[in-house]
């Protein structure tokens, strides 16, 4: 089949090139731009059955008036002393300035002057001084692309405001935080990462191609192929996201994300360039054997087509297996990249051959073709392999002569890192850890944490649903609510709890608010805020805002939430009275308080807020990671069996890439632990799953290229000579491809997100290990050992 494709491309190369250019142009005209359909936000793509998603739905039903989806917070700080009355007036003026800002999709603005709520927006005086908050509640999701311009507008307006105030605001420092600020910074960093990665990848691939091959036209072939492929595939995927708008396809759901484009660029550039170079390498061989342009191209594509298709298909199966994930980002990203890689493969076996046919042998200019015999000897192959031919011959000779020793030494050398990878620390889910220290939200977060609990602006929302009702009655309500408030307040890691009748986290009294009228107004407001007033749920739902002492993204925050969840589950199950009796024996409470928890028996507790979402994200991604690992290994193994038909060899090839993964992630953690020092809290949670998929799927490319050439040469030259010849002949091209693949991934370290830096480093290291250790040492050593054991047992295991 591939010979036929090669024949058509050689004879009809203008048609092939014209079709690709026309199709690409058409896609650009009809498809939306990637950025127009790209989404983001880690917590927005959890499965519908997850507790935080159910909590969000219950919150919307019970408290529809709380329409704000995110917030942006301006922190005003006076270092070394308390805020003055003038400072508080400045804060109120900042709130009015934000309210007048057209760029903000505002729900409302809170300042220290806001009735009831304002008291919570001033911190106590501490050694750091005192601070107050201005909170702009927004009707936009924190991960929506609009938050980029929202953050920029707020930052610009606040800077202008303080310039206008002059001496009136002297001594006040300010910062910006809030979920919308974090979202805006994340999206800006992702956009910067895309731009940096695209530029760096293109430049690095071009430079490496020119250094290795010293032929400008040859470098142009993969670059032109990748240019057409990336434009066509990204627009094709963007078009697929709109398929649900076509009548009859309402069931269709495909989403793309800002960060997906980064993976797409590096995977397509790396794999696509490899495909092109393997074709070009074989094309050169055929030309050096004295064949004409068309004949050489047909034979080259006929010989490497099977290996290229096997390589592409293993990677596509690996990435495509992510469609079975529960987490929406995994489920959409993997198949999207797999589809784009399929388009890349088609371009490499049609568009690239057409370019080679158009350029002819002068594609290697200013280099010259060296004539060689078709059935060349090993010495001729060494000479034809270029400057490193002798190196590959010596590696092959030592490996084949002492395969057991070489294999054991290589494994022993890398085993400590593999053990470190297997025993690595838990990943981090802290979004702020991904951002650079100079980002607006990071600086604002540090300022906020000097004066307020880490969870002040992102409380855990506990929604209690009592189906029997009774929460709209006055009899016993105060006691019931106060009992649960007290129970939650005593849980380790909880800083404060706000509910009816304690909206400020403490009982409302005339002493606190200054007058009986103010106290009555505050209580009425608290009833509306914390007890559902909707006809459907009136008297059945109450809300508690739990302020944690820790960041909602931290392990400590998640552990605190799990303690809360366990305690409320015990109360709902009717087991709280035992706990209360134990507390009463210690003098912590009274029997009346224990009895006041009885109305909560049988209640259903829902949870909302970022800490609940992060805990669900941990659960679903860890389940998905285990599932994806099994599916990727199974799928790639199936493809290898179909391609090579040797179960033992295929199983060993899978073991090599899994071993490479463990070594790589172990080494990566050690490097970043040393680099970050005491601030290191673990690799980003996305690193391990994407590293596994990429190394297992893409890492098989070189194994497939080597083993198919080994089996081809063994049929010609015999078991040992064929193995040795194949290692020598593929050494240079596989190493070149590995270096290019590593370069495309190392370009990710130019990004602005810590996750991309970690993953870029890890995949680069893994690819180099695969290129420099697995391909020239571990695989040939095993194949030589297999031949020896076959000879001992009297079996032909070629």
């Amino acid at each position: 089949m591939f010979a036929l494709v090669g024949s058509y491309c050689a004879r009809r190369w203008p048609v092939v090139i014209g079709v690709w250019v026309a199709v690409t142009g058409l896609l650009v005209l009809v498809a939306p731009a990637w950025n127009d359909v790209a989404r983001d936000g880690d917590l927005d793509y959890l499965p519908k059955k997850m507790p935080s998603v159910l909590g969000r739905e219950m919150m919307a039903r019970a408290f529809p008036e709380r329409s704000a989806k995110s917030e942006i917070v301006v922190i005003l700080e006076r270092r070394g002393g308390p805020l003055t009355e003038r400072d508080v007036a400045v804060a109120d003026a900042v709130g009015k300035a934000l309210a007048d800002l057209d760029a903000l999709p505002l729900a409302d603005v809170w300042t220290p002057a806001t009735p009831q709520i304002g008291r919570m927006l001033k911190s106590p005086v501490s050694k750091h001084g005192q601070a107050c908050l201005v909170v702009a509640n927004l009707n936009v999701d924190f991960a929506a692309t609009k938050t980029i311009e929202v953050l920029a507008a707020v930052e610009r307006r606040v800077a202008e405001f303080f310039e206008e105030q002059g001496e009136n605001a002297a001594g006040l420092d300010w910062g910006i935080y809030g979920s919308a600020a974090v979202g805006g910074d994340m999206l800006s960093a992702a956009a910067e990462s895309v731009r940096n990665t695209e530029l760096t990848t293109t430049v690095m691939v071009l430079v490496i191609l020119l250094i290795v091959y010293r032929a400008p036209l040859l470098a142009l072939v993969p670059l032109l192929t990748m240019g057409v492929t990336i434009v066509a595939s990204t627009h094709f995927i963007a078009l697929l996201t709109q398929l649900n708008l076509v009548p009859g396809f309402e069931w269709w759901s495909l989403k793309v994300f800002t960060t997906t484009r980064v993976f797409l660029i590096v995977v397509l550039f790396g794999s696509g360039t490899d495909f092109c170079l393997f074709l070009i390498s074989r094309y050169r061989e055929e030309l050096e054997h004295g064949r004409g342009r068309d004949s050489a191209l047909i034979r080259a594509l006929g010989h490497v087509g099977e290996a290229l298709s096997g390589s592409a298909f293993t990677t596509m199966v690996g990435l495509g297996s992510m469609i079975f994930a529960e987490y929406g980002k995994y489920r959409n990203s993997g198949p999207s990249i797999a589809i784009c890689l399929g388009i890349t493969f088609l371009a490499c076996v049609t568009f690239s051959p057409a370019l080679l046919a158009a350029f002819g042998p002068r594609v290697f200019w200013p280099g010259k073709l060296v004539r060689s015999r078709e059935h060349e000897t090993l010495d001729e192959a060494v000479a034809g392999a270029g400057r490193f031919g002798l190196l590959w011959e010596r590696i092959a000779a030592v490996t084949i002569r002492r395969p057991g020793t070489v294999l054991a030494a290589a494994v022993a050398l890398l085993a400590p890192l593999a053990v470190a990878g297997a025993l690595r620390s838990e990943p981090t889910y802290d979004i702020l850890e991904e951002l650079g220290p100079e980002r607006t939200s990071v600086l604002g977060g540090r300022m906020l944490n000097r004066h307020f609990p880490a969870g002040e602006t992102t409380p855990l929302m506990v929604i209690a649903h009592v189906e029997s009702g009774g929460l709209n009655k006055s009899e016993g309500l105060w006691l019931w609510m106060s009992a649960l408030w007290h129970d939650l307040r005593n849980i380790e890691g909880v800083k404060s709890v706000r509910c009816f009748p304690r909206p400020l986290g403490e009982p409302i009294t005339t002493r606190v608010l200054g007058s009986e009228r103010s106290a009555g107004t505050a209580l009425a407001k608290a009833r509306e805020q914390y007890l559902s007033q909707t006809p459907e749920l009136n008297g059945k739902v109450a809300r508690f805002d739990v302020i944690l002492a820790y960041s909602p993204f931290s392990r400590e925050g998640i552990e605190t939430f799990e303690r809360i969840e366990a305690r409320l589950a015990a109360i709902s199950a009717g087991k709280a009275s035992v706990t209360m009796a134990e507390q009463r024996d210690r003098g912590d409470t009274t029997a009346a308080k224990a009895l006041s928890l009885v109305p909560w028996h049988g209640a259903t507790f829902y949870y909302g807020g970022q800490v609940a979402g992060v805990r669900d994200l941990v659960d679903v991604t860890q389940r998905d990671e285990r599932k994806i690992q099994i599916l990727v290994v199974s799928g790639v193994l199936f493809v290898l069996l179909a391609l090579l038909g040797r179960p033992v060899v295929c199983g060993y090839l899978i073991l090599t890439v899994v071993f490479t993964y463990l070594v790589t992630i172990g080494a990566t953690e050690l490097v970043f632990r040393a680099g970050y020092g005491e601030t290191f809290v673990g690799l980003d949670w996305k690193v391990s799953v994407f590293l596994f998929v990429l190394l297992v799927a893409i890492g098989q490319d070189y194994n497939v290229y080597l083993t198919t050439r080994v089996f081809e040469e063994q049929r010609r030259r015999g078991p040992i000579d064929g193995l040795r010849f194949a290692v020598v002949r593929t050494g240079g091209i596989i190493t070149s491809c590995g270096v290019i693949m590593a370069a495309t991934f190392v370009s990710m370290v130019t990004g602005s997100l810590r996750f991309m830096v970690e993953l870029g480093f890890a995949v680069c290291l893994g690819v180099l290990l695969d290129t420099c250790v697995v391909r020239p040492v571990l695989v040939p050593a095993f194949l030589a050992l297999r031949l020896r054991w076959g000879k001992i047992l009297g079996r032909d295991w070629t």
Side-chain angles (χ1 to χ4, degrees):
M1 180 183 73
F2 289 105
L4 291 174
V5 172
S7 176
Y8 187 85
C9 292
R11 290 182 293 104
R12 305 286 188 183
W13 60 264
V15 175
V16 175
I17 294 173
V19 168
W20 271 102
V21 172
V23 169
T24 302
L26 181 63
L27 284 170
V28 171
L29 289 175
V30 302
W34 182 281
N35 291 339
D36 293 339
V37 296
R39 307 182 183 206
D40 230 303
D42 290 335
L43 304 183
D44 294 331
Y45 302 98
L46 294 168
K48 293 181 180 180
K49 64 181 180 181
M50 299 304 290
S52 63
V53 178
L54 297 175
R56 195 186 312 152
E57 292 172 355
M58 175 55 76
M59 186 71 186
R61 286 173 56 202
F63 301 96
E65 70 281 359
R66 282 181 60 92
S67 59
K69 297 179 179 179
S70 63
E71 74 287 328
I72 197 159
V73 180
V74 179
I75 308 112
L76 305 181
E77 176 190 55
R78 181 166 290 281
R79 303 292 294 269
L83 293 167
T84 65
E85 289 186 9
R86 187 172 63 181
D87 294 338
V88 175
V90 168
D92 191 46
V94 169
K96 291 176 181 175
L98 294 182
D100 294 336
L101 200 58
D102 294 334
L104 295 190
L106 274 176
D108 54 17
V109 177
W110 298 339
T111 73
T114 303
Q116 288 86 51
I117 294 172
R119 287 179 52 85
M120 299 182 294
L121 303 182
K122 287 178 64 177
S123 74
V125 180
S126 70
K127 63 179 181 180
H128 300 295
Q130 192 177 18
C132 64
L133 307 178
V134 177
V135 181
N137 295 297
L138 307 176
N139 292 319
V140 64
D141 187 81
F142 86 99
T145 53
K146 188 172 178 61
T147 56
I148 297 176
E149 61 181 85
V150 165
L151 176 58
V154 170
E155 199 168 4
R156 186 168 54 249
R157 183 65 188 97
V158 173
E160 291 171 355
F161 174 85
F162 271 82
E163 216 173 288
E164 295 164 2
Q165 290 291 306
E167 285 299 316
N168 197 41
L172 270 181
D173 295 327
W174 61 275
I176 297 175
Y177 187 62
S179 60
V182 174
D185 273 340
M186 287 289 292
L187 292 170
S188 295
E192 291 168 12
S193 297
V194 170
R195 291 193 297 271
N196 293 346
T197 301
E198 288 182 352
L199 177 61
T200 307
T201 299
T202 305
V203 171
M204 291 186 74
V205 170
L206 177 60
V207 169
I208 292 172
L209 287 172
L210 289 175
I211 290 173
V212 173
Y213 293 101
R214 303 177 186 179
L217 288 179
L218 189 147
L220 204 57
V221 171
L223 287 179
L224 286 176
T225 304
M226 291 306 99
V228 168
T229 295
I230 288 171
V231 173
S233 59
T234 52
H235 281 82
F236 180 69
I237 291 294
L239 190 62
L240 284 183
T241 64
Q242 309 300 300
L243 188 58
N244 62 305
L245 302 177
V246 178
F249 285 88
E250 291 81 7
W251 53 271
W252 176 264
S253 176
L254 178 67
K255 300 176 180 65
V256 295
F257 308 97
T258 306
T259 49
T260 305
R261 186 177 174 90
V262 177
F263 291 116
L264 192 148
I265 296 297
V266 295
V267 170
L268 297 196
F269 251 106
S271 295
T273 304
D274 283 2
F275 296 161
C276 288
L277 292 188
F278 272 96
L279 173 62
I280 291 169
S281 175
R282 196 59 184 257
Y283 176 54
R284 180 169 190 156
E285 275 189 46
E286 298 297 337
L287 288 173
E288 289 177 341
H289 291 160
R291 292 188 173 84
R293 183 200 69 179
D294 291 1
S295 177
L297 192 58
I298 293 167
R299 285 180 62 88
L301 193 55
H303 278 295
V304 302
E306 185 178 347
L308 292 183
S309 60
S311 171
F313 199 53
T314 53
T315 307
M316 290 170 65
V317 167
L319 291 165
S321 64
M322 297 178 75
I323 197 172
F324 297 104
E326 295 180 71
Y327 182 48
K329 271 196 164 182
Y330 290 167
R331 192 173 60 251
N332 287 277
S333 296
S336 295
I337 300 173
I339 293 170
C340 292
L341 187 60
I343 296 173
T344 301
F345 168 72
L346 290 177
C348 290
V349 296
T350 55
F351 188 73
S352 296
L355 289 176
L356 290 174
F359 292 139
R362 59 182 174 273
V363 73
F364 300 102
W365 178 87
K368 294 182 179 179
L369 297 173
V370 179
R371 291 295 298 270
S372 64
R373 293 185 303 161
E374 183 171 353
H375 300 289
E376 58 188 345
T377 65
L378 181 61
D379 290 340
E380 290 171 337
V382 170
R387 289 167 291 174
F388 297 101
L390 190 59
L391 172 65
W392 304 127
E393 196 280 328
R394 288 178 178 174
I395 291 173
V398 172
T399 302
I400 293 171
R401 188 182 308 121
R402 299 181 180 275
T405 303
V406 170
L407 185 60
V411 171
L413 189 65
L414 297 174
L417 291 173
V419 172
L423 301 177
R424 66 188 179 278
S425 58
E426 290 293 317
T428 177
Y429 284 77
D430 194 334
I431 291 178
L432 288 180
E433 289 290 336
E434 281 208 63
L435 295 171
E438 77 290 348
R439 291 286 176 181
T440 298
S441 59
V442 175
L443 297 172
R446 289 176 185 163
M447 181 181 287
L448 182 80
N449 290 340
R450 286 199 291 267
H451 303 280
F452 293 91
E456 177 68 37
T457 60
T458 53
L460 166 68
M461 290 177 285
V462 177
I463 304 106
H465 181 207
V466 180
E467 185 58 40
S468 59
L471 297 181
N472 54 352
K473 299 177 181 178
S474 57
E475 299 174 11
L477 178 60
W478 281 46
L479 186 59
W480 301 342
M481 298 292 290
S482 295
L484 195 54
W485 172 90
H486 194 69
D487 215 77
L488 292 170
R489 181 65 183 80
N490 285 336
I491 293 174
E492 180 187 352
V494 172
K495 198 73 175 177
S496 175
V497 180
R498 297 165 188 161
C499 65
F500 174 84
R502 301 170 186 252
L504 305 179
E506 56 185 283
I508 289 181
T509 63
T510 54
R511 181 183 62 81
V512 172
L513 293 181
S515 72
E516 192 171 325
R517 182 177 178 181
S518 296
T521 302
L523 280 173
K525 188 78 174 175
R527 181 182 286 271
E528 294 176 4
Q529 186 175 1
Y530 290 105
L531 299 177
S532 177
Q533 304 299 307
T534 62
E536 175 193 4
L537 297 172
N538 188 10
K540 295 183 178 182
V541 173
R543 191 180 91 246
F544 296 78
D545 288 345
V546 182
I547 313 301
L548 306 185
Y550 308 104
S551 164
F553 305 107
S554 66
R555 292 194 187 101
E556 295 83 359
I558 294 172
E559 289 167 359
T560 301
F561 168 52
E562 288 176 340
R563 285 192 289 271
I564 293 169
E565 191 177 38
R567 176 61 184 155
L568 293 178
I571 292 174
S572 178
K575 299 176 182 177
S577 56
V578 177
T579 306
M580 284 299 174
E582 292 170 352
Q583 289 181 344
R584 185 176 65 250
D585 292 340
R586 295 196 302 268
D588 295 340
T589 187
T590 64
K593 183 183 166 189
L595 291 173
S596 68
L597 287 173
V598 171
W600 303 110
H601 294 174
T604 302
F605 291 98
Y606 297 88
Y607 304 95
Q610 289 183 341
V611 68
V614 172
R615 198 285 305 271
D616 286 350
L617 184 65
V618 173
D619 287 349
V620 74
T621 53
Q622 288 181 351
R623 286 200 306 270
D624 276 345
E625 183 166 357
R626 291 189 292 270
K627 184 192 300 180
I628 288 170
Q629 287 174 346
I630 294 171
L631 290 172
V632 168
V633 167
S634 301
V636 171
L637 179 59
F638 177 81
V639 175
L640 288 176
L641 287 170
L643 186 66
L644 303 177
R646 294 167 172 82
V648 175
V649 174
C650 294
Y652 179 78
L653 295 181
I654 290 291
L655 285 178
T656 61
V657 289
V658 173
F659 181 68
T660 302
Y661 163 76
L662 290 174
V663 171
T664 301
I665 200 163
T668 300
E669 177 160 308
L670 292 176
V671 167
F672 283 97
R673 184 182 294 278
Y676 292 136
E678 294 181 357
T679 63
F680 181 79
V681 291
L683 296 174
D684 186 87
W685 58 277
K686 297 181 285 295
V687 170
S688 59
V689 66
F690 280 106
L691 178 64
F692 186 88
V693 171
L694 292 171
L695 285 188
V696 173
I698 293 178
Q700 288 298 354
D701 286 3
Y702 308 128
N703 286 338
V704 169
Y705 296 144
L706 173 62
T707 52
T708 52
R709 187 64 183 262
V710 167
F711 299 145
E712 178 187 337
E713 296 299 337
Q714 283 179 335
R715 287 191 293 270
R716 291 180 183 175
R717 305 170 188 274
I720 297 299
D721 289 346
L723 174 58
R724 194 168 175 178
F725 186 92
V727 172
V728 171
R729 251 311 180 186
T730 60
I733 185 61
I734 289 180
T735 302
S736 299
C737 288
V739 170
I740 289 172
M741 179 74 80
T744 61
F745 279 99
V746 83
S747 67
M748 291 174 67
V749 304
T750 63
S752 305
L753 294 174
R754 173 172 163 175
F755 151 62
M756 292 191 180
V757 174
E758 292 174 351
L759 184 62
F761 172 85
V763 179
C764 174
L765 176 61
V767 169
L768 290 177
L769 278 172
D770 201 63
T771 304
C772 301
V773 179
V774 175
R775 194 276 314 163
V777 177
L778 296 187
V779 173
F782 172 77
L783 293 176
L785 271 177
R786 184 168 174 269
L787 288 172
R788 284 192 179 185
W789 281 104
K791 189 174 182 180
I792 292 171
L793 297 174
R795 298 183 180 182
D796 182 10
W797 280 349
T798 54

